Amino acid sequence: MERISKENYYLDIAETVLERATCLRRVYGAIIVKNDEIISTGYNGAPRGRANCVDMGYCSREAMKVPRGERYELCRSVHAEANAIISASRRDMVGGTIYLVGRDARTGELLADATSCLMCRRMVINAGLEKVVIRRTETEFETVPVADWIAEDDLLTPENVVMDLK
Ligand SMILES: [Zn+2]
Ligand SMILES: [Zn+2]
């Protein structure tokens, strides 16, 4: 039996975390790893104590057919990356890697084009994380240097804000 790669090992764990996610539109799992230690985990779900999309029976973003990349505030969820980041101390995260997996909540299919939204990118940058590893298929993944997201700063101009982000 061939030994699983470290990336897929952590992505598998992120995918297990995703099973706790509560949005009816898309579900995400994230884990932050530094020096081969898992620092924290996060999945998308409503703020503690508030009703989740699954409890309401609908996600407002989905109900209103909001296109990708727009009106995140309509979904009740705190994103997976944000939850993982607020569960960790910056000291532990600096230079670390965040692993991210997304699935379509209805079909259960992996989101081959999953990526962090613009708000999460800002948090990933300020958390001091170095890399984002995103699952594309059960065995394939993409490694994004956070430096790329910092360099893409000019994407945040008004006419470009509505892009094909998750
Ligand atoms: Zn939702
Ligand atoms: Zn986000």
Side-chain angles (χ1 to χ4, degrees), residues 36-55:
D36 278 332
E37 272 187 317
I38 295 173
I39 305 292
S40 66
T41 66
Y43 54 83
N44 57 325
R48 284 172 202 271
R50 287 201 181 166
N52 288 293
C53 295
V54 283
D55 303 321

Side-chain angles (χ1 to χ4, degrees), residues 101-148:
V101 181
R103 284 187 178 278
D104 183 292
R106 301 222 185 265
T107 65
E109 271 181 51
L110 276 176
L111 299 171
D113 56 353
T115 186
S116 295
C117 74
L118 296 176
M119 295 306 292
C120 286
R121 288 181 186 206
R122 293 176 189 177
M123 279 186 268
V124 166
I125 291 169
N126 268 10
L129 292 163
E130 209 169 278
K131 282 186 300 182
V132 186
V133 178
I134 310 171
R135 175 157 273 179
R136 294 289 170 236
T137 69
E138 285 302 337
T139 53
E140 294 161 298
F141 54 87
E142 181 184 352
T143 302
V144 182
V146 175
D148 285 3

Side-chain angles (χ1 to χ4, degrees), residues 4 9-10 20-21 27-28 31 33-34 44 55 58 61 63 86 88 91-92 100 121 124-125 130 144 148 152 157 164:
I4 188 170
Y9 160 70
Y10 286 127
R20 286 285 302 160
V27 286
Y28 288 88
I31 65 168
V33 175
K34 166 99 174 278
N44 57 325
D55 303 321
Y58 63 90
R61 270 186 87 210
I86 61 176
R91 221 173 294 161
D92 289 336
L100 183 68
R121 288 181 186 206
V124 166
I125 291 169
E130 209 169 278
V144 182
D148 285 3
E152 282 165 12
T157 50
D164 60 340

Side-chain angles (χ1 to χ4, degrees), residues 16-92:
T16 298
V17 171
L18 154 166
E19 287 171 24
R20 286 285 302 160
T22 60
C23 181
L24 291 166
R25 177 181 162 115
R26 294 198 177 97
V27 286
Y28 288 88
I31 65 168
I32 294 174
V33 175
K34 166 99 174 278
N35 294 336
D36 278 332
E37 272 187 317
I38 295 173
I39 305 292
S40 66
T41 66
Y43 54 83
N44 57 325
R48 284 172 202 271
R50 287 201 181 166
N52 288 293
C53 295
V54 283
D55 303 321
M56 310 288 292
Y58 63 90
C59 169
S60 303
R61 270 186 87 210
E62 186 178 67
M64 293 167 75
K65 298 197 174 19
V66 177
R68 318 180 76 189
E70 295 177 38
R71 310 279 328 258
Y72 286 103
E73 74 281 7
L74 290 175
C75 171
R76 316 181 64 80
S77 298
V78 177
H79 290 180
E81 306 95 307
N83 275 323
I85 288 168
I86 61 176
S87 294
S89 89
R90 188 172 189 280
R91 221 173 294 161
D92 289 336

